[in-house]
Tab-separated table of all heavy atoms in Angstrom:
chain	number	residue	atom	x	y	z
A	355	VAL	N	20.468	122.439	84.065
A	355	VAL	CA	19.351	123.276	83.611
A	355	VAL	C	18.925	122.794	82.190
A	355	VAL	O	19.684	122.661	81.324
A	355	VAL	CB	19.660	124.737	83.480
A	355	VAL	CG1	18.489	125.597	82.898
A	355	VAL	CG2	20.107	125.289	84.871
A	356	ASP	N	17.595	122.443	82.054
A	356	ASP	CA	16.976	122.019	80.873
A	356	ASP	C	16.251	123.202	80.287
A	356	ASP	O	15.463	123.846	81.003
A	356	ASP	CB	15.995	120.890	81.042
A	356	ASP	CG	16.679	119.526	81.032
A	356	ASP	OD1	17.828	119.432	80.541
A	356	ASP	OD2	16.026	118.566	81.469
A	357	ASN	N	16.392	123.472	78.931
A	357	ASN	CA	15.553	124.493	78.331
A	357	ASN	C	14.385	123.841	77.644
A	357	ASN	O	14.620	122.981	76.710
A	357	ASN	CB	16.385	125.278	77.274
A	357	ASN	CG	17.424	126.203	77.900
A	357	ASN	OD1	17.264	126.637	79.110
A	357	ASN	ND2	18.438	126.491	77.217
A	358	VAL	N	13.181	124.251	78.030
A	358	VAL	CA	12.032	123.599	77.425
A	358	VAL	C	11.241	124.690	76.622
A	358	VAL	O	10.871	125.705	77.247
A	358	VAL	CB	11.111	122.967	78.475
A	358	VAL	CG1	9.823	122.310	77.814
A	358	VAL	CG2	11.845	121.931	79.317
A	359	THR	N	11.079	124.487	75.318
A	359	THR	CA	10.350	125.466	74.512
A	359	THR	C	8.876	125.131	74.766
A	359	THR	O	8.353	124.057	74.442
A	359	THR	CB	10.701	125.292	72.930
A	359	THR	OG1	12.050	125.515	72.895
A	359	THR	CG2	9.944	126.283	72.162
A	360	ILE	N	8.136	126.163	75.192
A	360	ILE	CA	6.690	125.953	75.456
A	360	ILE	C	5.783	126.525	74.399
A	360	ILE	O	4.669	126.124	74.223
A	360	ILE	CB	6.227	126.431	76.896
A	360	ILE	CG1	6.545	127.877	77.059
A	360	ILE	CG2	6.979	125.629	77.979
A	360	ILE	CD1	5.694	128.500	78.212
A	361	ALA	N	6.263	127.540	73.700
A	361	ALA	CA	5.353	128.136	72.753
A	361	ALA	C	6.172	129.058	71.833
A	361	ALA	O	7.378	129.278	71.984
A	361	ALA	CB	4.358	129.056	73.470
A	362	LYS	N	5.403	129.628	70.870
A	362	LYS	CA	6.099	130.546	69.937
A	362	LYS	C	5.067	131.771	69.839
A	362	LYS	O	3.818	131.475	69.811
A	362	LYS	CB	6.320	129.893	68.597
A	362	LYS	CG	7.100	130.749	67.632
A	362	LYS	CD	7.542	129.835	66.475
A	362	LYS	CE	7.884	130.636	65.201
A	362	LYS	NZ	8.124	129.871	64.109
A	363	GLY	N	5.558	132.981	69.740
A	363	GLY	CA	4.576	134.062	69.685
A	363	GLY	C	5.114	135.277	69.008
A	363	GLY	O	6.321	135.410	68.812
A	364	ILE	N	4.184	136.166	68.640
A	364	ILE	CA	4.599	137.432	67.968
A	364	ILE	C	4.734	138.519	68.936
A	364	ILE	O	3.725	138.813	69.728
A	364	ILE	CB	3.578	137.751	66.791
A	364	ILE	CG1	3.374	136.571	65.876
A	364	ILE	CG2	3.926	138.967	66.132
A	364	ILE	CD1	2.206	136.736	64.903
A	365	VAL	N	5.896	139.148	69.007
A	365	VAL	CA	6.151	140.168	70.068
A	365	VAL	C	5.611	141.523	69.680
A	365	VAL	O	5.598	141.971	68.494
A	365	VAL	CB	7.635	140.290	70.376
A	365	VAL	CG1	8.172	139.088	71.107
A	365	VAL	CG2	8.422	140.438	69.078
A	366	ASN	N	5.234	142.303	70.736
A	366	ASN	CA	4.813	143.711	70.559
A	366	ASN	C	6.003	144.662	70.689
A	366	ASN	O	5.808	145.883	70.387
A	366	ASN	CB	3.786	144.130	71.553
A	366	ASN	CG	2.483	143.370	71.240
A	366	ASN	OD1	2.157	143.110	70.119
A	366	ASN	ND2	1.717	143.036	72.292
A	367	TYR	N	7.070	144.167	71.225
A	367	TYR	CA	8.291	145.025	71.470
A	367	TYR	C	9.506	144.332	70.849
A	367	TYR	O	9.599	143.135	70.752
A	367	TYR	CB	8.484	145.217	72.973
A	367	TYR	CG	7.430	146.124	73.641
A	367	TYR	CD1	6.353	145.553	74.172
A	367	TYR	CD2	7.555	147.504	73.616
A	367	TYR	CE1	5.319	146.309	74.770
A	367	TYR	CE2	6.646	148.327	74.233
A	367	TYR	CZ	5.517	147.715	74.816
A	367	TYR	OH	4.493	148.509	75.465
A	368	SER	N	10.476	145.193	70.557
A	368	SER	CA	11.807	144.617	69.993
A	368	SER	C	12.642	143.997	71.176
A	368	SER	O	12.311	144.216	72.374
A	368	SER	CB	12.644	145.745	69.387
A	368	SER	OG	13.090	146.652	70.364
A	369	SER	N	13.642	143.273	70.825
A	369	SER	CA	14.505	142.694	71.762
A	369	SER	C	15.167	143.761	72.683
A	369	SER	O	15.261	143.518	73.903
A	369	SER	CB	15.606	141.752	71.144
A	369	SER	OG	16.269	142.517	70.083
A	370	ALA	N	15.553	144.811	72.088
A	370	ALA	CA	16.254	145.902	72.829
A	370	ALA	C	15.287	146.556	73.867
A	370	ALA	O	15.577	146.748	75.003
A	370	ALA	CB	16.731	147.046	71.921
A	371	GLU	N	14.019	146.664	73.445
A	371	GLU	CA	12.979	147.190	74.385
A	371	GLU	C	12.681	146.179	75.479
A	371	GLU	O	12.636	146.602	76.685
A	371	GLU	CB	11.745	147.531	73.592
A	371	GLU	CG	11.862	148.764	72.706
A	371	GLU	CD	10.704	148.888	71.691
A	371	GLU	OE1	10.118	147.789	71.265
A	371	GLU	OE2	10.311	149.996	71.388
A	372	ILE	N	12.582	144.918	75.141
A	372	ILE	CA	12.253	143.917	76.159
A	372	ILE	C	13.372	143.869	77.181
A	372	ILE	O	13.079	143.668	78.398
A	372	ILE	CB	11.981	142.514	75.485
A	372	ILE	CG1	10.810	142.616	74.594
A	372	ILE	CG2	11.688	141.514	76.580
A	372	ILE	CD1	10.454	141.375	73.774
A	373	MET	N	14.592	144.004	76.741
A	373	MET	CA	15.728	143.962	77.708
A	373	MET	C	15.560	145.102	78.721
A	373	MET	O	15.990	144.902	79.843
A	373	MET	CB	17.068	144.040	76.981
A	373	MET	CG	17.504	142.669	76.491
A	373	MET	SD	19.175	142.753	75.820
A	373	MET	CE	19.021	141.800	74.324
A	374	ARG	N	15.036	146.255	78.276
A	374	ARG	CA	14.974	147.300	79.217
A	374	ARG	C	13.765	147.199	80.144
A	374	ARG	O	13.719	147.770	81.280
A	374	ARG	CB	14.832	148.663	78.439
A	374	ARG	CG	16.245	148.994	77.917
A	374	ARG	CD	16.115	150.101	76.798
A	374	ARG	NE	15.601	151.312	77.287
A	374	ARG	CZ	15.219	152.348	76.445
A	374	ARG	NH1	15.304	152.236	75.183
A	374	ARG	NH2	14.771	153.506	76.981
A	375	ILE	N	12.693	146.413	79.741
A	375	ILE	CA	11.547	146.391	80.552
A	375	ILE	C	11.273	145.062	81.245
A	375	ILE	O	10.272	144.919	81.979
A	375	ILE	CB	10.236	146.785	79.766
A	375	ILE	CG1	10.085	145.913	78.526
A	375	ILE	CG2	10.291	148.299	79.404
A	375	ILE	CD1	8.830	146.282	77.702
A	376	MET	N	12.157	144.091	80.957
A	376	MET	CA	11.860	142.802	81.524
A	376	MET	C	11.838	142.778	82.994
A	376	MET	O	12.611	143.573	83.614
A	376	MET	CB	12.778	141.655	80.920
A	376	MET	CG	14.207	141.738	81.319
A	376	MET	SD	15.179	140.601	80.260
A	376	MET	CE	16.734	140.978	80.979
Side-chain angles (χ1 to χ4, degrees):
V355 176
D356 273 343
N357 287 335
V358 181
T359 301
I360 60 163
K362 191 166 156 188
I364 303 172
V365 286
N366 291 328
Y367 290 94
S368 70
S369 49
E371 288 168 324
I372 299 174
M373 275 189 224
R374 285 164 63 192
I375 56 178
M376 65 190 180

